[in-house]
Amino acid sequence: QLSCLLKMVTLHGVPKDLDSYPKDLLLFLSPLDYAATGSCSQFFINVGKANVDVLPREAPRRQQLLLEALACLKIPGTQINEENAEILGRLLCDLGGEYIRSSGGSLLKDLSQCGSFLPDQEEAIRDVISSGNTTFGPPAAWSAFTLSELSGLIPVLDHSILQQIPK
C-alpha cells in the first residue's frame, strides 16, 4: 500500500512538502529522489523515525536503506557515534554485531527499542554489557532505573549477566 501511495505522490515529481507525509512512505523512496527537497542526512533522520518493520528484516530494500544511510553519514569503519545513532533511529536495529561491539555501550539504549535481534546482535549486546564499559556501568551497579532504560534488552541477557544484577 505504501509503495502504491508513493507512486501516486511522486507521479509529477517529488513534492516539496514530502516531510509532511507519513515517514513510513520514505522507506520506499531513494535518497537520490529526496535530494531535491533536502539533504541525505535529513532523509535518514525521517527514515529513522519510520516503522522499519513495515519491511521484513531480510528485505533487500531495508538492507539497502542501511547501507545508503551509512554512506550518507560517511561513517568510516564500524563505530557509530551518538549523533549518527540518533539520525539512524530505527535503522540501528539492523546493524551487525561488529557495529554494536565497536560502538560500545553508546547504542544500548537505542537498541532496547528494537523488537528483535539476530543471534550475532544478541552476542554483541551481551559482550558489550559484560565488558561493563557502558554509560550504565557493569551489571552489578545497575538499578531498577537501568533495567527500565534497557528493558528491551532483558530477553537478550544470559544467566551470567542476570546473576550480577542486584536484587
Side-chain angles (χ1 to χ4, degrees):
Q1 289 175 334
L2 287 169
S3 181
C4 288
L5 180 59
L6 180 68
K7 286 179 184 163
M8 296 299 295
V9 167
T10 59
L11 198 57
H12 301 290
V14 177
K16 298 288 181 230
D17 64 343
L18 192 61
D19 289 344
S20 66
Y21 286 85
K23 305 298 182 221
D24 296 356
L25 198 61
L26 298 178
L27 296 171
F28 299 91
L29 187 69
S30 164
L32 296 175
D33 296 333
Y34 184 86
T37 64
S39 67
C40 73
S41 60
Q42 183 59 47
F43 173 77
F44 286 109
I45 287 170
N46 289 329
V47 166
K49 294 175 185 169
N51 177 10
V52 294
D53 292 328
V54 165
L55 297 167
R57 187 184 285 264
E58 318 76 38
R61 179 70 198 127
R62 184 165 162 170
Q63 294 169 356
Q64 185 63 33
L65 277 170
L66 178 61
L67 293 175
E68 289 172 342
L70 295 172
C72 163
L73 298 173
K74 297 176 176 59
I75 295 173
T78 56
Q79 191 166 4
I80 309 285
N81 63 33
E82 288 184 37
E83 181 185 343
N84 286 335
E86 194 172 326
I87 292 171
L88 289 170
R90 296 285 309 271
L91 287 174
L92 280 177
C93 300
D94 292 343
L95 289 173
E98 68 278 9
Y99 283 91
I100 296 169
R101 280 187 193 86
S102 297
S103 303
S106 63
L107 301 181
L108 291 179
K109 188 174 178 186
D110 295 310
L111 287 169
S112 72
Q113 308 304 312
C114 302
S116 64
F117 299 100
L118 296 173
D120 80 307
Q121 292 173 309
E122 290 180 354
E123 187 179 328
I125 290 167
R126 285 191 293 270
D127 290 348
V128 168
I129 289 173
S130 294
S131 77
N133 187 19
T134 72
T135 54
F136 301 102
W142 288 4
S143 64
F145 176 76
T146 309
L147 288 173
S148 171
E149 290 283 289
L150 300 177
S151 61
L153 299 180
I154 291 174
V156 173
L157 306 181
D158 61 14
H159 183 69
S160 67
I161 293 171
L162 292 171
Q163 270 187 305
Q164 298 175 46
I165 302 170
K167 289 186 185 353

